[in-house]
Amino acid sequence: MKNILWLFSFISIFILLGCSGDETPDFVPTNPINPSFYFPPNDSDEWEAHENMLAEIRQSQLDSFRTFLQSSNTRAFIVLKEGKIVLEEYFGEDLSNQTFTKNSQWYWASAGKSLASALIGIAEDEGLLDVEDSSSTYLGGGWSSLTNVQEDAIKIRHHISMTTGLDDTRGNSDCTESACLTYLVPPGERWAYHNGPYTLTHDIVSAASGFTFDEYFNQVLRDPIGMDGRWIYLGENHVYFSTARSMARFGLFILNRGTWDETIVLNDGNYFENMVTASQSLNEAYGYLWWLNSGDSYMLPQSQIQFPGKLVPNAPDDLIAGIGKNAQLVQVVPSLNLVVVRMGEDPDDSLVPT
């Protein structure tokens, strides 16, 4: 997550693809569900391209941008406009030391939290859970080191807004064992990017659905929108691996507000709105496991400092993003009908690359 501000590097591509002439557009969200969007078929590699979208951009600019992507350890970079491919580039080697292609699998890291957020919304829509339910309803008593009263006060909503109040400053913040989950403040009073309580949402979904988290995810989200990939445990973290095109599919699904082509996957409009707007007043740049650009201040992982301004100052206010370690990025800009995906290694050695 240290690469969150590396999003700045993509501002130029937003402006080049989303604007016409020298005017700066007013970033007003489009119709919630746009019937003009293109959706690639689920059963083939076919994916239409936006013809001539880059025609007005000089070849030297495109070459320079590709050089930048490659030099910053990018493996995959995709831009969709209204669902069609504008730019698709691959560089270097995949995790098997083979040439990286559209078929290569890569890790989402914490960008996969956005997948879990959508899945929780689907589970709520199906009546399997409610984000206002106590976590203990699904995890059982004793899932933490808190008293019963303290534990029962923590709701699913607190897990997905990073406001459980559990102490992230001691030991391993990825740990989900009860001994690691200790009391610091009441839920809702402190924002802290804490992986352990997030990972427990996978257990909550499993208990609520009667399936394993992976089974339920595949059944109600992955397969309906034609994604590939799978969840793998790396230590205590449950990490998603897929192709870059699958990440782009998910971005398009979010751009179309939970509907894939004519198939409604996430039908709860209230949940969707809550997911992509500030979930609390402590960190205005955080919804339900999504990063937001709509607030006037923001906080970053491993810090309790509240910074003034936008998370990405020169990007549209309605930018939302799933962001993971080493700059795994799925970015959605409804006002421009854009999805931008980046997979790769750490772009540089700075604490917060810009």
Side-chain angles (χ1 to χ4, degrees):
M1 287 304 303
K2 70 179 183 177
N3 301 304
I4 191 169
L5 297 186
W6 197 67
L7 284 161
F8 291 166
S9 300
F10 299 135
I11 291 168
S12 59
I13 207 73
F14 290 140
I15 302 304
L16 287 171
L17 297 175
C19 305
S20 60
D22 295 325
E23 297 180 358
T24 300
D26 293 327
F27 296 118
V28 178
T30 57
N31 192 332
I33 297 178
N34 194 325
S36 68
F37 287 170
Y38 166 80
F39 293 88
N42 286 5
D43 55 357
S44 78
D45 282 342
E46 176 187 348
W47 200 317
E48 290 186 15
H50 242 302
E51 299 295 337
N52 302 319
M53 179 64 72
L54 300 180
E56 296 182 5
I57 302 176
R58 292 195 303 272
Q59 187 61 46
S60 61
Q61 290 177 304
L62 290 176
D63 290 343
S64 177
F65 187 68
R66 291 185 178 104
T67 298
F68 161 73
L69 292 174
Q70 188 169 17
S71 66
S72 57
N73 293 322
T74 302
R75 294 295 181 270
F77 187 82
I78 299 175
V79 179
L80 305 181
K81 175 76 169 178
E82 297 169 345
K84 294 183 180 180
I85 293 176
V86 175
L87 192 66
E88 183 176 25
E89 300 289 340
Y90 299 100
F91 308 93
E93 296 181 341
D94 63 18
L95 296 169
S96 300
N97 298 319
Q98 303 297 313
T99 300
F100 206 111
T101 70
K102 67 181 181 181
N103 297 317
S104 298
Q105 301 275 316
W106 196 258
Y107 59 91
W108 287 45
S110 285
K113 289 181 171 69
S114 60
L115 292 169
S117 179
L119 191 64
I120 290 169
I122 294 170
E124 182 173 75
D125 186 37
E126 293 187 339
L128 301 177
L129 56 78
D130 189 304
V131 295
E132 295 299 329
D133 290 340
S134 170
S135 308
S136 299
T137 304
Y138 307 94
L139 299 175
W143 60 268
S144 72
S145 295
L146 280 60
T147 67
N148 290 340
V149 172
Q150 291 170 338
E151 197 173 76
D152 289 344
I154 298 176
K155 302 176 180 180
I156 298 173
R157 171 171 54 84
H158 295 125
H159 289 257
I160 58 180
S161 61
M162 296 291 180
T163 58
T164 60
L166 297 171
D167 193 349
D168 65 310
T169 66
R170 298 169 52 192
N172 178 10
S173 65
D174 294 337
C175 180
T176 58
E177 298 295 326
S178 60
C180 300
L181 303 173
T182 58
Y183 182 87
L184 184 60
V185 298
E189 292 190 4
R190 181 176 182 268
W191 186 90
Y193 196 83
H194 196 174
N195 272 335
Y198 153 71
T199 302
L200 286 176
T201 64
H202 294 212
D203 294 334
I204 290 172
V205 169
S206 179
S209 68
F211 296 95
T212 68
F213 179 87
D214 303 37
E215 289 169 341
Y216 185 64
F217 172 82
N218 294 346
Q219 174 187 331
V220 302
L221 182 53
R222 187 194 69 173
D223 296 346
I225 70 173
M227 292 177 65
D228 57 44
R230 63 192 179 113
W231 294 90
I232 298 175
Y233 274 101
L234 299 179
E236 291 160 302
N237 292 317
H238 203 195
V239 180
Y240 199 66
F241 287 73
S242 80
T243 60
R245 281 192 167 192
S246 282
M247 184 180 271
R249 281 178 177 267
F250 179 64
L252 179 56
F253 162 74
I254 294 298
L255 181 65
N256 207 39
R257 298 179 62 85
T259 297
W260 182 259
D261 202 354
E262 297 181 353
T263 302
I264 298 174
V265 180
L266 172 53
N267 193 39
D268 188 338
N270 288 333
Y271 179 88
F272 191 96
E273 286 300 324
N274 291 333
M275 180 177 74
V276 298
T277 56
S279 55
Q280 28 63 51
S281 60
L282 302 165
N283 185 359
E284 295 181 2
Y286 208 72
Y288 286 166
L289 303 173
W290 282 88
W291 290 92
L292 317 173
N293 204 42
S294 54
D296 294 321
S297 63
Y298 62 92
M299 295 175 66
L300 297 176
Q302 302 175 12
S303 171
Q304 286 297 301
I305 299 173
Q306 192 175 74
F307 299 95
K310 302 289 185 184
L311 182 68
V312 189
N314 294 322
D317 287 355
D318 63 336
L319 167 71
I320 63 172
I323 305 175
K325 180 181 179 181
N326 295 334
Q328 316 311 319
L329 303 168
V330 53
Q331 303 163 96
V332 179
V333 188
S335 59
L336 300 180
N337 293 334
L338 278 181
V339 174
V340 181
V341 161
R342 189 266 186 187
M343 288 178 163
E345 296 285 11
D346 196 347
D348 60 38
D349 295 327
S350 62
L351 179 61
V352 184
T354 59

